[in-house]
Amino acid sequence: MTAVLPPYPATPALPAPRRLTRTEDGERLHALLWTPGPGRRTISSAVLGGGIGPRAWILNAQVAHGYRRTDPERHLASLAADAGVHGQGVGLMTAADVSAHAHARDAGVEAFVTAGVDVRGWAARPGEGAEGAPDPGTINVVVAVPAALTDAALVNAVATATEAKVQALVESGYDCSGTPTDAVCVVADAPAPHRETHAFAGPRSLWGARLARAVHRAVRDAVRHETPAPGY
């Protein structure tokens, strides 16, 4: 007997981002802005709006190489205000050119990835970590699921997205698990009465499998034009 999978919406789980351009210190920089709409919530490791909760917008902002501001949260909030969005949002940073982002879709899941892999390595290595705000992340993953997920499933989705990212990097010839400051943001519907809420988002679950394939393809596309070299 063939299993019947639940239908997924014809409309994107996350609309295409609005592209923004600004000039800072004489340098032309770009940003991507998403507005998920009501009834959605996010889980994110972003410097602004991280954690779990409803978020009105997601901003992935390019900053200059050698970025040294000590108030990235305020900087991102200011950029969002300049773009005309309000309320709580998620703000990510990267030195990569976000106008060259990659996008992949799988059965209703939408994944957007910006990537710069000049500084990379394996997560587990000898030596102590550093305290304080890290440099801007260079592989940022924004992925949306058109289904309601529990808190645990949201955490599961972040792990799945990270596993798919590492798989894509290794298959693309990169001897690394990522960069030291990668960030991820998962968007999903908020649980509501009389609506199915999914408790799992691992790579073999229904929505986790779709998420993994979308992130895997988007990361591979994002790093396609980079030149692999030994990580450090």
Side-chain angles (χ1 to χ4, degrees):
M1 181 176 178
T2 302
V4 178
L5 298 179
Y8 54 89
T11 56
L14 191 63
R18 178 178 153 201
R19 299 191 183 200
L20 310 173
T21 303
R22 71 189 191 282
T23 300
E24 285 184 4
D25 299 325
E27 186 171 352
R28 190 173 179 83
L29 301 169
H30 306 281
L32 302 174
L33 179 66
W34 294 267
T35 49
R40 315 298 297 284
R41 63 178 187 157
T42 70
I43 180 171
S44 178
S45 62
V47 65
L48 175 67
I52 298 177
R55 301 290 186 267
W57 48 265
I58 303 163
L59 180 72
N60 186 9
Q62 178 189 4
V63 296
H65 289 276
Y67 182 83
R68 287 295 177 266
R69 283 188 60 159
T70 58
D71 60 344
E73 300 97 331
R74 180 176 297 180
H75 188 192
L76 286 163
S78 175
L79 294 177
D82 290 344
V85 292
H86 307 283
Q88 283 191 306
V90 173
L92 306 97
M93 282 185 169
T94 177
D97 181 2
V98 301
S99 66
H101 74 279
H103 169 237
R105 176 182 299 168
D106 192 290
V109 174
E110 307 280 341
F112 300 86
V113 174
T114 59
V117 289
D118 290 339
V119 179
R120 59 187 182 275
W122 290 101
R125 69 175 192 180
E128 295 295 330
E131 294 184 358
D135 291 336
T138 52
I139 301 178
N140 285 340
V141 175
V142 176
V143 58
V145 177
L149 301 179
T150 64
D151 285 2
L154 286 175
V155 176
N156 211 179
V158 171
T160 299
T162 302
E163 291 178 21
K165 177 198 72 176
V166 175
Q167 179 183 345
L169 287 170
V170 173
E171 291 178 356
S172 298
Y174 292 93
D175 187 20
C176 68
S177 57
T179 83
T181 49
D182 292 350
V184 61
C185 177
V186 177
V187 184
D189 295 344
H194 312 299
R195 178 175 185 181
E196 181 180 9
T197 299
H198 296 263
F200 303 100
R204 296 286 70 83
S205 69
L206 174 66
W207 289 109
R210 295 169 174 178
L211 180 151
R213 289 191 296 266
V215 170
H216 176 263
R217 189 158 62 250
V219 172
R220 291 200 67 167
D221 289 345
V223 302
R224 179 172 296 168
H225 302 297
E226 302 284 342
T227 303
Y232 55 90

